[in-house]
Amino acid sequence: MKLLTANRLWDGTTLWYGADGWVEDGALAVSLEDERADALLKDWLARETEVVGPYLIPLTPEDVPVQREHVREFVRANGPTTGPLTDGIARAYQRADIF
């Protein structure tokens, strides 16, 4: 299982692939079977005018990023780990941190 993530071209916002396409809230990201994830990545790599830097995040059987990816994806999903923006994205969506 994997997650697909990228950044929106025009403002750099972190995006996650959800049930109905790209979403800003990582809590709405869907776990994708490996074949589907690979096909989506290939498709989105060719569409540079919409998103940039799409990549796949490998997941553990518990649907959390594998350890080497955990910290980076936590920061991308929840905002910086220090300063006034800490957990700002989670608060904006009225939920706990993701991952």
Side-chain angles (χ1 to χ4, degrees):
M1 300 298 280
K2 298 175 182 172
L3 297 177
L4 177 60
T5 186
N7 293 87
R8 189 168 39 220
L9 179 62
W10 61 273
D11 67 356
T13 298
T14 300
L15 299 174
W16 307 88
Y17 200 81
D20 297 317
W22 294 107
V23 295
E24 292 181 13
D25 185 358
L28 300 176
V30 294
S31 300
L32 304 163
E33 295 290 337
D34 291 350
E35 275 188 35
R36 172 104 170 104
D38 293 339
L40 280 169
L41 176 62
K42 184 178 178 180
D43 181 46
W44 284 102
L45 281 169
R47 298 166 74 175
E48 305 177 319
T49 59
E50 297 176 51
V51 298
V52 293
Y55 65 93
L56 298 172
I57 304 165
L59 299 175
T60 67
E62 294 78 32
D63 274 348
V64 295
V66 295
Q67 188 59 40
R68 71 178 185 272
E69 305 291 336
H70 187 84
V71 173
R72 175 180 60 180
E73 298 312 328
F74 179 89
V75 172
R76 289 184 77 239
N78 297 295
T81 56
T82 61
L85 296 177
T86 302
D87 299 325
I89 294 174
R91 279 195 300 273
Y93 288 105
Q94 300 175 352
R95 60 159 169 73
D97 293 336
I98 9 184
F99 306 134

